[in-house]
Amino acid sequence: MSKNRSIMLLSVGHACVDVYQGAVASLVPYFVAERAYGYAAASGLVLAASVLSSVAQPVFGVLTDRRPMPWLLPLSTLLGGLGIALSGVSGSYGLTLLFVAVSGLGVAAY
């Protein structure tokens, strides 16, 4: 793979992961209006995604510094998107929280 193509793929992946991080906060009005979550519950989702992502990111950094894991980049992009997508269609608060957490882990791993 050429160097330019690799950099372009990394840039697109990073942009997608950045969108996933912001998507959790963007979904708050939907969760409040459609699922009747209170503001505390909806903001708890944002907090869970942000805190989990912030705490897990250094762990992934240490792991990838010790051993190359090139498969982690596509997997983390997939987990980030899948978590956001499933949080929009899940039925319960617990599942929504789980899927938002999965997305946060994907963001952290990237």
Side-chain angles (χ1 to χ4, degrees), residues 5-44:
R5 185 169 179 212
S6 297
I7 291 176
M8 188 166 103
L9 284 172
L10 285 171
S11 298
V12 169
H14 196 283
C16 288
V17 168
D18 284 346
V19 168
Y20 302 149
Q21 183 72 30
V24 176
S26 299
L27 287 170
V28 167
Y30 165 77
F31 292 138
V32 170
E34 295 295 320
R35 297 191 184 170
Y37 289 171
Y39 287 113
S43 61

Side-chain angles (χ1 to χ4, degrees), residues 23-68:
V24 176
S26 299
L27 287 170
V28 167
Y30 165 77
F31 292 138
V32 170
E34 295 295 320
R35 297 191 184 170
Y37 289 171
Y39 287 113
S43 61
L45 296 172
V46 177
L47 179 67
S50 298
V51 169
L52 183 59
S53 182
S54 297
V55 170
Q57 189 172 11
V59 174
F60 283 115
V62 168
L63 290 173
T64 57
D65 283 347
R66 292 183 180 175
R67 185 179 350 173

